[in-house]
Amino acid sequence: MAELTFARNGEIDIITLTGVVKENDLIQLAKTISTLRQQGCMNIIWNGKGIDRIAVRDLEILANPIRIFRNVGGKFALAEFEDRNLSMIQRTSWKKFLNIFKTETEAITFLDPNRSD
């Protein structure tokens, strides 16, 4: 079972899963995304640097919470995923709702609501 941790950087919520990600972990991640949305969160980073591997065949567990989050104006970013884990995510129906970055710093810069464009 992976460990889910949570941090806040200004207006950005950062979720990290570490270890081997299984179906129950994705269910917990889906609940966390929904809870953050209900609390008014508009910016989420899912940092994948601690994921050993994703041991789930159907990643569509996350489709609904991510679509709803994006439909209400939220921005959802992935950061620091290894290529093998990222390639699994890029096969999902919800990949179009993601902003993908190599580093967490890049994702924070993108999501920072106070940045000047």
Side-chain angles (χ1 to χ4, degrees):
M1 185 168 187
E3 179 182 348
L4 188 143
T5 57
F6 177 86
R8 189 155 179 88
N9 184 325
E11 297 293 314
I12 302 168
D13 291 293
I14 302 168
I15 300 168
T16 305
L17 283 172
T18 55
V20 177
V21 177
K22 297 184 179 178
E23 186 173 339
N24 286 341
D25 302 313
L26 289 186
I27 291 168
Q28 184 60 42
L29 177 58
K31 288 178 184 177
T32 300
I33 293 166
S34 295
T35 299
L36 290 172
R37 176 185 50 80
Q38 291 166 5
Q39 292 174 348
C41 171
M42 296 302 288
N43 298 293
I44 294 176
I45 296 172
W46 178 12
N47 188 314
K49 70 180 170 189
I51 296 175
D52 294 331
R53 70 183 168 93
I54 299 174
V56 180
R57 289 185 183 197
D58 188 8
L59 293 173
E60 294 302 316
I61 294 167
L62 296 175
N64 215 27
I66 289 175
R67 282 186 187 121
I68 292 168
F69 183 76
R70 287 295 306 254
N71 286 339
V72 298
K75 295 178 186 171
F76 196 94
L78 300 184
E80 302 195 24
F81 274 75
E82 290 186 17
D83 289 341
R84 71 176 188 270
N85 294 327
L86 189 56
S87 70
M88 291 183 69
I89 291 170
Q90 290 176 325
R91 293 183 212 136
T92 65
S93 66
W94 44 271
K95 70 179 178 205
K96 62 186 172 201
F97 296 104
L98 302 174
N99 299 288
I100 301 171
F101 299 92
K102 287 279 186 200
T103 68
E104 186 176 291
T105 302
E106 291 172 339
I108 289 170
T109 299
F110 173 77
L111 295 176
D112 183 356
N114 298 316
R115 76 178 195 278
S116 59
D117 291 321

